[in-house]
Amino acid sequence: MKLYEALQQVIGEYGITVIRERRLAGLLSGLGVLGSAGIRKVMEAFAADGCGKAFGSLQPGESGTDIMVQAESIKEILIRDHGFSRSDTDYAIDSLTYALGLRDMPPDALRSGPPASGEDAAERILRGSVERHALWQHSWDDTETIESCRRAAEGGDSDAQFWLGLAYRYGHGVRQDCREAVRWLLKSADQGDARAQAELGDLCSKGIGVTQDYGEAEKWFQKAAEQGNTDAENNLGFLYIRGLGVRPDYKKAFDWFMKAASHGEPTAVYNIGRMYAEGAGVEADSAEAVKWYRKAADLGNADAQNNLGNMYSEGNGVRRDPGEAFRWYMKAAEQGCAAAEINLGRMYEDGDGVSVSFAKAVKWYRKAADQDNAEAMYSLGVMYNDEGWTEHDYAEAAKWFRAAAEEGVMEAQYNLANMYRDARGVEKDYKESAKWFLLAA
């Protein structure tokens, strides 16, 4: 099977949009071979932008050197977010870039020849992806795959131990058993697998399968971070900024976030933006916060997109621009960010940068309320309680004020007390009114 034919086969299987530039199409469809929902989203981001800016400013017609820079970034994403070993990603991406004519000399990963006799690069990628990572991609319910993984794990294969640990953590292909997950992850971590070490740190920090222990979490995150695991680097920053298992140390937090950010970890990039915005460990600098929020937003971080929208809405660190605020809020809301959904609701309610539309405001508030967001519940109560709105409904207002009041929102408690006192949307009940007035006091 020729390389490009194999890539076209994968394109058909995964429904990947083919970009006109043949070399870039080949590179991206190679990622499809490595396959995961997350990587396909990366490819969709490229396609949606005409060639995309997920890893920079690559445009059609740029040189092979530019594509090679992107390939190196993509390798790090595969290793960091999707658990592939460096040797696998080196072989896969280097094979593609060499076969596509982007390398003059075979890379180190290829000089000893393909790992199995008679296989070309494309066949190796196609076969290896399915064989080694089927457990995480498509075959969780395949008993034969699970048992094959178990046999390898029992034989001491650290990679198999890691995947089996994940299977038990999430209950894929086996009955969920977080204690069993810890057992297998510990075996893999003790052999130095950074992914397993980071996963153990996460379990210890959350008390999943083990007693919650931030000190133990710090130990495993440290081990993984020393091997360049970006999740661990970011999580260490979180522990230091919160003082969990370690003494609070904003400088160390900033340094760990910066390490993770240098590897392209979106949450770490966002965290640096927050530190500049809040003056935590660094001098407060709104313009610098905007810069880092923008970087994280371009990487798809919904919180950064929402915060960047806030900066434009407030004119903080950047010229006030409600239209730009709306654009970033919408990007975040499309990812289900409740804070952004509330912000869109407010823009439609107030007519800030958009035409006033109570119906659209209610739509976005309801989306956030459906995520149990108390602020959105209160806003819905206010909307339905507004006699100036043609759709006002006291019973609906009382419902949402009650939902927010039960979450401790003082203003909702006060408004609900008034509704019971005045028999608006509910039957008059002085006892119930007094209860909510006391809670709101």
Side-chain angles (χ1 to χ4, degrees):
M1 182 186 295
K2 293 182 179 179
L3 176 63
Y4 200 67
E5 292 173 351
L7 299 180
Q8 293 288 13
Q9 174 182 323
V10 174
I11 288 169
E13 178 182 350
Y14 287 98
I16 299 164
T17 301
V18 182
I19 298 167
R20 287 191 301 272
E21 209 288 335
R22 184 175 185 273
R23 288 179 171 178
L24 185 57
L27 179 59
L28 296 181
S29 48
L31 294 177
V33 179
L34 292 172
S36 75
I39 291 301
R40 289 198 295 277
K41 286 181 181 178
V42 171
M43 288 183 283
E44 288 164 7
F46 270 103
D49 198 33
C51 261
K53 297 181 181 179
F55 296 104
S57 57
L58 189 63
Q59 297 294 329
E62 288 188 331
S63 70
T65 301
D66 297 313
I67 297 176
M68 292 295 295
V69 170
Q70 307 307 311
E72 292 301 317
S73 297
I74 292 167
K75 283 185 191 179
E76 297 303 319
I77 296 293
L78 291 171
I79 293 165
R80 184 191 72 226
D81 291 343
H82 301 284
F84 293 100
S85 69
R86 185 167 295 278
S87 60
D88 277 353
T89 54
D90 281 350
Y91 190 91
I93 301 300
D94 291 353
S95 296
L96 284 167
T97 52
Y98 177 56
L100 290 168
L102 303 181
R103 290 178 180 270
D104 294 329
M105 296 291 292
D108 291 339
L110 297 178
R111 284 178 183 160
S112 59
S117 177
E119 291 184 316
D120 69 11
E123 290 171 340
R124 159 66 169 84
I125 297 167
L126 285 167
R127 182 186 66 78
S129 172
V130 173
E131 183 178 284
R132 296 201 60 196
H133 302 291
L135 197 62
W136 191 247
Q137 293 174 59
H138 306 297
S139 305
W140 285 106
D141 297 324
D142 184 339
T143 302
E144 183 178 348
T145 301
I146 291 288
E147 291 310 309
S148 174
C149 185
R150 187 187 304 280
R151 287 192 296 272
E154 290 171 345
D157 186 310
S158 65
D159 187 60
Q161 290 166 347
F162 167 72
W163 290 109
L164 189 58
L166 285 191
Y168 275 111
R169 175 172 183 178
Y170 296 105
H172 293 304
V174 293
R175 182 177 58 82
Q176 186 176 27
D177 185 337
C178 291
R179 290 185 181 276
E180 190 70 0
V182 169
R183 187 171 79 86
W184 285 110
L185 289 169
L186 187 59
K187 288 178 181 290
S188 179
D190 283 341
Q191 294 194 64
D193 190 300
R195 300 166 303 170
Q197 292 166 346
E199 196 74 19
L200 276 175
D202 186 55
L203 291 169
C204 290
S205 70
K206 295 173 180 174
I208 298 175
V210 292
T211 302
Q212 188 175 45
D213 186 335
Y214 290 115
E216 191 72 4
E218 188 274 337
K219 180 189 83 173
W220 288 112
F221 285 145
Q222 185 75 39
K223 286 177 179 288
E226 288 171 356
Q227 298 189 64
N229 183 282
T230 50
D231 285 336
E233 291 168 344
N234 183 62
N235 285 330
L236 276 174
F238 179 79
L239 293 183
Y240 275 108
I241 208 166
R242 293 293 182 86
L244 300 172
V246 294
R247 289 187 177 184
D249 190 325
Y250 285 161
K251 184 181 184 305
K252 285 186 177 180
F254 184 86
D255 289 345
W256 281 116
F257 287 146
M258 190 62 78
K259 281 180 182 289
S262 71
H263 297 144
E265 214 297 315
T267 305
V269 178
Y270 162 71
N271 286 333
I272 292 171
R274 281 196 64 184
M275 294 187 81
Y276 275 114
E278 298 169 11
V282 292
E283 185 176 347
D285 187 331
S286 296
E288 194 70 9
V290 166
K291 182 183 87 172
W292 286 97
Y293 282 151
R294 190 183 304 280
K295 287 182 178 182
D298 286 339
L299 289 168
N301 183 280
D303 291 326
Q305 291 167 345
N306 178 66
N307 283 14
L308 186 57
N310 288 340
M311 303 299 268
Y312 275 109
S313 178
E314 298 163 6
N316 187 9
V318 69
R319 182 174 58 83
R320 174 172 156 74
D321 187 337
E324 193 69 0
F326 181 88
R327 185 172 78 87
W328 285 110
Y329 288 150
M330 186 61 74
K331 284 180 177 288
E334 287 170 351
Q335 297 193 65
C337 176
E341 290 166 349
I342 291 171
N343 285 327
L344 285 174
R346 285 177 180 155
M347 293 190 82
Y348 278 116
E349 184 179 1
D350 299 337
D352 183 17
V354 294
S355 299
V356 171
S357 173
F358 280 13
K360 289 181 179 179
V362 165
K363 166 192 161 183
W364 286 108
Y365 286 146
R366 192 178 292 274
K367 283 179 178 288
D370 286 344
Q371 298 186 59
D372 297 325
N373 185 285
E375 184 180 354
M377 295 171 186
Y378 172 70
S379 294
L380 282 170
V382 171
M383 295 288 293
Y384 281 109
N385 199 41
D386 187 344
E387 293 180 357
W389 184 33
T390 56
E391 302 295 325
H392 85 273
D393 183 331
Y394 288 137
E396 193 72 5
K399 181 186 85 171
W400 288 111
F401 280 145
R402 176 179 291 279
E406 290 173 348
E407 294 295 322
V409 178
M410 186 180 301
E411 295 87 346
Q413 293 168 343
Y414 180 78
N415 286 343
L416 186 60
N418 283 326
M419 298 189 86
Y420 274 111
R421 183 194 63 194
D422 301 335
R424 282 186 293 113
V426 292
E427 292 185 8
K428 188 184 292 287
D429 188 331
Y430 289 119
K431 183 178 179 180
E432 192 72 3
S433 176
K435 180 184 85 171
W436 288 112
F437 273 131
L438 285 171
L439 286 171

